[in-house]
Amino acid sequence: MNKKKLSFLLSLTLMLSVFVPFNSVSAASTNVNINNVPVIFNDNSGSPFVDDANRTQVPLRVTMESYGCQVNWNSATKTATIQKDGKTVEVPIGEQYIIVDGNIKSNDTAAVIRYNRTYLPIRAVLEAFGAKVGWNQATQTVEVTAPGFNPPATVQPQPTPATTSSKYVGNSRTSLFHLSTCEKVQYINPYNKVEFSSASQALAQGYESCYYCHPASAGSSAITQPTVPSTVTPAPSQTVTSMVWIPRTGTKYHTRSTCSNMKNPSQISKDTAVQRGYAPCKKCC
């Protein structure tokens, strides 16, 4: 009996060793074509993969810019905003919905951050922009048909600069800034990299000093805390504004996420909530 059990365990181990690598290769070899032109992925952009819901997740920026979209990232709310031809699609990380021109549209999977890169469920987002999305099983390719759109002959992701001319480098995802010689800089995704001419400029825009290289103290011993000089205007994306919570359904915005027993509410700025037509909750606002 013991020999039979041992034989079964060895066979099971052999089967796992064969099938697990195959699944990993299959996920990594997924391709994306837009009007028959391939989107080129590399180490900087990341590569598509299939998530637990069996949905294809693709690197956000290179894919949507290849489709002619403008892509912005809000590190405070962890939301990607994608715009094209007057249409706006917001993709919050970790939520099973997207927001199309202010309207919530449910989805069966969520955007994720993987290895410091943002990945989005390609079908839901591209279809929101009017594209047709199909799957070619033989070539493991996501086929995107976009009427009226002519992509470049070769779609290349943005390369990573070999060096930086600025003394200070910020990471828009973590809101930290570093000396350009800091070893942490090499790990910053090029799409999240922001260059500053001085430590004061970085502090004025809401960035905090790296705990490893201490760029604020290295730049000037007089800099002890983030202050906004009278001659420096913070960038619009860094403007301090009040944040509120909105439910998946409903027309009120709230100052507390637990108000009215909301389930999985989303946090957005009060100005955005008002622009979308939400009214203040009489209980908490």
Side-chain angles (χ1 to χ4, degrees):
M1 181 64 69
N2 290 337
K3 290 183 178 180
K4 289 184 178 180
K5 288 183 178 180
L6 179 60
S7 177
F8 173 76
L9 290 175
L10 290 174
S11 298
L12 180 60
T13 301
L14 179 61
M15 290 174 64
L16 289 175
S17 67
V18 171
F19 285 109
V20 170
F22 174 79
N23 289 337
S24 299
V25 172
S26 177
S29 61
T30 302
N31 306 302
V32 178
N33 285 354
I34 300 177
N35 286 359
N36 296 320
V37 176
V39 179
I40 306 300
F41 302 101
N42 61 18
D43 291 340
N44 295 327
S45 66
S47 299
F49 69 96
V50 179
D51 65 14
D52 294 337
N54 201 31
R55 295 293 182 266
T56 302
Q57 297 268 10
V58 301
L60 183 148
R61 185 175 293 274
V62 65
T63 303
M64 298 314 299
E65 287 184 347
S66 299
Y67 187 62
C69 297
Q70 179 182 351
V71 179
N72 293 296
W73 171 252
N74 188 321
S75 58
T77 61
K78 295 189 181 302
T79 300
T81 301
I82 309 165
Q83 296 176 311
K84 175 179 168 64
D85 298 334
K87 183 179 290 291
T88 300
V89 175
E90 297 171 79
V91 185
I93 297 298
E95 300 290 352
Q96 290 189 313
Y97 63 85
I98 59 176
I99 303 172
V100 182
D101 288 336
N103 299 310
I104 294 177
K105 181 179 179 181
S106 298
N107 193 28
D108 55 5
T109 192
V112 298
I113 294 178
R114 191 185 196 203
Y115 305 125
N116 288 334
R117 298 180 181 89
T118 302
Y119 289 78
L120 81 166
I122 186 172
R123 178 180 292 276
V125 176
L126 284 172
E127 287 182 347
F129 284 103
K132 294 181 180 180
V133 182
W135 172 251
N136 188 322
Q137 180 66 31
T139 61
Q140 296 288 292
T141 301
V142 177
E143 299 285 358
V144 182
T145 303
F149 175 69
N150 296 315
T154 302
V155 181
Q156 293 283 357
Q158 179 180 343
T160 303
T163 59
T164 176
S165 59
S166 298
K167 184 178 179 180
Y168 303 95
V169 179
N171 185 337
S172 62
R173 188 182 68 84
T174 63
S175 294
L176 295 176
F177 76 100
H178 315 258
L179 291 172
S180 60
T181 54
C182 178
E183 67 177 39
K184 305 295 183 183
V185 172
Q186 64 182 312
Y187 301 111
I188 300 177
N189 188 305
Y191 304 122
N192 298 328
K193 189 175 292 185
V194 183
E195 296 186 359
F196 300 107
S197 59
S198 66
S200 296
Q201 183 186 17
L203 293 169
Q205 294 191 22
Y207 284 77
E208 296 182 6
S209 180
C210 167
Y211 307 112
Y212 182 80
C213 65
H214 304 288
S217 59
S220 173
S221 59
I223 299 176
T224 57
Q225 61 182 2
T227 58
V228 180
S230 58
T231 57
V232 178
T233 302
S237 61
Q238 299 295 335
T239 301
V240 177
T241 183
S242 58
M243 304 297 290
V244 296
W245 297 88
I246 59 171
R248 290 194 174 188
T249 58
T251 59
K252 306 291 184 182
Y253 67 79
H254 308 262
T255 57
R256 300 196 309 271
S257 62
T258 56
C259 184
S260 300
N261 295 319
M262 290 186 292
K263 294 183 178 180
N264 300 321
S266 299
Q267 190 177 36
I268 61 175
S269 69
K270 181 178 178 181
D271 292 341
T272 302
V274 172
Q275 291 174 1
R276 294 181 185 175
Y278 287 89
C281 169
K282 294 182 179 180
K283 295 180 181 178
C284 63
C285 295

